Amino acid sequence: NAGVTQTPKFQVLKTGQSMTLQCAQDMNHEYMSWYRQDPGMGLRLIHYSVGAGITDQGEVPNGYNVSRSTTEDFPLRLLSAAPSQTSVYFCASSYTGAPLNIQYFGAGTRLSVL
Amino acid sequence: KNEVEQSPQNLTAQEGEFITINCSYSVGISALHWLQQHPGGGIVSLFMLSSGKKKHGRLIATINIQEKHSSLHITASHPRDSAVYICAGTSGSRLTFGEGTQLTVNP
């Protein structure tokens, strides 16, 4: 059972480049979410989804897009990377359509934007 | 003002000590999560609770709904407990996180 799989683990981008962070879960979880973690700050919600076809913005959505075409996948797109997006990104999922159950986290993606 | 606040930010203990980490949260939080982030960066859920108390091994989590306060206790602490402990509150469809408590347990 793979759980929550994030790829890549590390990425270096130049300012203005685009990329997609992948997140997949094999537990048939309804709720999926993306967070960024910066030094001295708690994890902050970027976008979340309560089920396939439904997404919504979190606390810090600017510069990021998401889609949820299947239950399993929840990719995070950076359309034009900026140095302020240098961070560690975590994807998480849980069983119900709201974070009222144990959360399962991916291993994280460490992103540097030069 | 953050919806979820943790204390202390840093905590150093000697092996065997009883440890308490505190979390206060605001109105609108319906459930409280405790997470552990390993030195390597991985995050693991420890507990999710909306009332009462939960125990798993040497870890105990309690919540007082009236006071909007939760505590994570570690009994007989061990160096392998060294990690960042994070509380997070569920509000609607969102999780809001505290800044974390860096725990170091010395042998």
Side-chain angles (χ1 to χ4, degrees), chain A residues 31 35 37 57 99-100 103, chain B residues 33 37 45 48 90 93-94:
Chain A
Y31 186 86
Y35 303 93
Q37 186 176 40
Q57 296 181 350
L100 291 171
Q103 302 292 300
Chain B
H33 302 251
Q37 186 165 27
S45 283
M48 196 285 295
T90 295
S93 296
R94 302 178 175 208

Side-chain angles (χ1 to χ4, degrees), chain B residues 31-77:
Chain B
L32 207 290
H33 302 251
W34 283 101
L35 313 167
Q36 180 192 54
Q37 186 165 27
H38 302 143
I43 299 174
V44 175
S45 283
L46 299 174
F47 299 102
M48 196 285 295
L49 63 167
S50 54
S51 64
K53 176 179 172 179
K54 289 189 177 180
K55 185 175 189 288
H56 186 262
R58 294 180 294 106
L59 300 177
I60 303 166
T62 64
I63 189 168
N64 183 317
I65 297 168
Q66 285 73 28
E67 295 185 4
K68 298 183 183 52
H69 181 269
S70 178
S71 293
L72 177 69
H73 305 287
I74 305 175
T75 63
S77 59

Side-chain angles (χ1 to χ4, degrees), chain A residues 31 35 37 40-45 48 50 57-59 90 97-107, chain B residues 30-31 33 35 37 40-48 86 90-100:
Chain A
Y31 186 86
Y35 303 93
Q37 186 176 40
M41 305 184 75
L43 287 145
R44 291 183 292 167
L45 179 64
Y48 65 96
V50 299
Q57 296 181 350
E59 183 184 353
F90 288 95
L100 291 171
N101 296 91
I102 289 291
Q103 302 292 300
Y104 293 81
F105 284 82
Chain B
S30 58
H33 302 251
L35 313 167
Q37 186 165 27
I43 299 174
V44 175
S45 283
L46 299 174
F47 299 102
M48 196 285 295
I86 302 168
T90 295
S91 177
S93 296
R94 302 178 175 208
L95 271 181
T96 302
F97 294 80
E99 292 185 18

